[in-house]
């Protein structure tokens, strides 16, 4: 069954062609992407973070923190689809107050049935800037979300996107690619886990604050840039 027309951008056929060229669903089930969603949830002190891939009729969640069993749903029911249709990051501070001018009724009903109140999703993009899905965070309560927080979410989404591309480029080299990706993936997991540990330490020292203070986000941003540099060094 096709997705609701309002959720389908005019260039969706081209977007889907690009998405499938990267073998995304198998790629995003690798452990490093689980580390990314765990880190994202911890940075914003939220219970749920997902990586979504928006396919023609369905949305898949190959990396899932905090919403077990939510592996796939129809595209029309998925909040992540609205980021694809609008071609930019979306933030819904309180889904109970949103109307159908922004979110299709099927997605609002599905969010209500799952008890979801807050959603923010930043686009994952391929090198040609086609969006493949989102890195999103979700809460069961309404939440403020500052521009500084959105900036960090978008940086994390860009980091996930870069990781997908570097994995693809590594694996196109039949001689050394698999070894190169295995080494990079292990190093990247270690660095993401270290950042997660730093975030835990900072929260333990200062307490959890919502929204997340700018000075805390500044430290996180510095470490994200270090991870980007790591990926750049491995770029084939």
């Amino acid at each position: 069954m096709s997705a609701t027309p309002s959720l389908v951008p005019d260039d969706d056929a081209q977007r889907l062609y690009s998405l499938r060229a990267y073998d995304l669903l198998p790629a995003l089930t690798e452990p490093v992407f689980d580390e990314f969603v765990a880190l994202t949830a911890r940075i914003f002190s939220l219970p749920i973070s997902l990586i979504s891939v928006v396919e023609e009729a369905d949305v898949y969640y190959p990396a899932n923190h905090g919403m077990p069993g939510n592996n796939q749903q129809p595209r029309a029911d998925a909040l992540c689809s609205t980021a694809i249709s609008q071609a930019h990051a979306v933030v819904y501070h309180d889904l109970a107050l949103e109307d159908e001018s922004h979110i299709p009724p099927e997605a609002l009903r599905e969010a209500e049935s799952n008890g979801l109140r807050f959603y923010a999703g930043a686009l994952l993009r391929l090198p040609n800037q086609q969006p493949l899905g989102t890195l999103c965070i979700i809460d069961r309560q309404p939440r403020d979300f500052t521009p500084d927080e959105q900036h960090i979410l978008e940086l994390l989404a860009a980091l996930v996107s870069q990781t997908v591309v570097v994995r693809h480029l590594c694996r196109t080299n039949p001689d050394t690619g698999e070894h190169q990706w295995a080494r990079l993936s292990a190093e990247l997991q270690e660095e993401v886990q270290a950042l997660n540990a730093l975030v835990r330490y900072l929260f333990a020292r200062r307490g959890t604050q919502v929204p997340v203070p700018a000075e805390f986000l500044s430290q996180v941003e510095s470490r994200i840039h270090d991870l980007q540099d790591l990926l750049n060094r491995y770029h084939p």
Side-chain angles (χ1 to χ4, degrees):
M1 188 170 97
S2 296
T4 303
S6 62
L7 291 177
V8 180
D10 292 340
D11 63 346
D12 207 51
Q14 181 182 352
R15 186 188 71 82
L16 291 168
Y17 178 84
S18 298
L19 183 157
R20 291 164 186 166
Y22 277 79
D23 197 26
L24 281 169
L25 289 175
L28 290 166
T29 59
E30 294 197 19
V32 66
F33 297 102
D34 289 328
E35 297 291 348
F36 278 128
V37 291
L39 171 64
T40 302
R42 187 173 296 280
I43 287 171
F44 298 104
S45 299
L46 289 174
I48 301 167
S49 178
L50 310 169
I51 288 174
S52 72
V53 175
V54 180
E55 261 283 3
E56 184 174 8
D58 294 289
V59 176
Y60 297 86
Y61 302 99
N64 181 329
H65 177 88
M67 212 170 178
N70 184 47
N71 301 319
Q72 176 183 353
Q73 66 182 146
R75 185 170 176 177
D77 293 352
L79 293 167
C80 297
S81 299
T82 65
I84 299 294
S85 63
Q86 296 179 45
H88 58 70
V90 296
V91 179
Y92 305 121
H93 300 279
D94 188 350
L95 288 161
L97 301 179
E98 292 290 338
D99 60 40
E100 296 175 12
S101 65
H102 296 100
I103 306 174
E106 299 94 332
L108 284 173
R109 285 195 297 269
E110 187 70 12
E112 182 179 11
S113 70
N114 285 310
L116 309 182
R117 296 290 297 276
F118 168 82
Y119 174 93
L123 288 174
L124 305 176
R125 292 187 182 273
L126 296 171
N128 63 2
Q129 294 305 300
Q130 289 286 355
L132 62 94
T134 68
L135 173 65
C136 67
I137 46 177
I138 299 170
D139 202 354
R140 300 188 187 279
Q141 302 177 37
R143 189 191 192 279
D144 290 332
F145 200 63
T146 66
D148 286 340
E149 288 179 305
Q150 182 171 332
H151 173 66
I152 293 299
L153 181 61
E154 292 181 340
L155 282 179
L156 288 164
L159 187 64
V160 171
S161 301
Q162 186 180 6
T163 304
V164 168
V165 172
V166 171
R167 174 191 181 274
H168 176 77
L169 292 172
C170 284
R171 291 167 63 92
T172 58
N173 185 328
D175 298 322
T176 62
E178 288 287 351
H179 174 72
Q180 187 180 38
W181 169 247
R183 185 174 57 178
L184 170 58
S185 180
E187 188 173 358
L188 193 57
Q189 283 185 71
E190 184 177 325
E191 292 299 324
V192 174
Q193 289 167 356
L195 177 52
N196 205 329
L198 172 64
V199 172
R200 284 200 306 271
Y201 167 76
L202 292 173
F203 277 139
R205 181 179 173 187
R206 303 176 183 178
T208 301
Q209 299 179 56
V210 177
V212 182
E215 60 271 19
F216 175 93
L217 294 174
S218 178
Q219 294 184 63
V220 170
E221 180 171 357
S222 177
R223 295 295 295 273
I224 290 173
H225 290 312
D226 290 342
L227 290 168
Q228 291 171 333
D229 289 341
L230 172 61
L231 285 166
N232 288 336
R233 292 201 301 272
Y234 275 85
H235 202 293

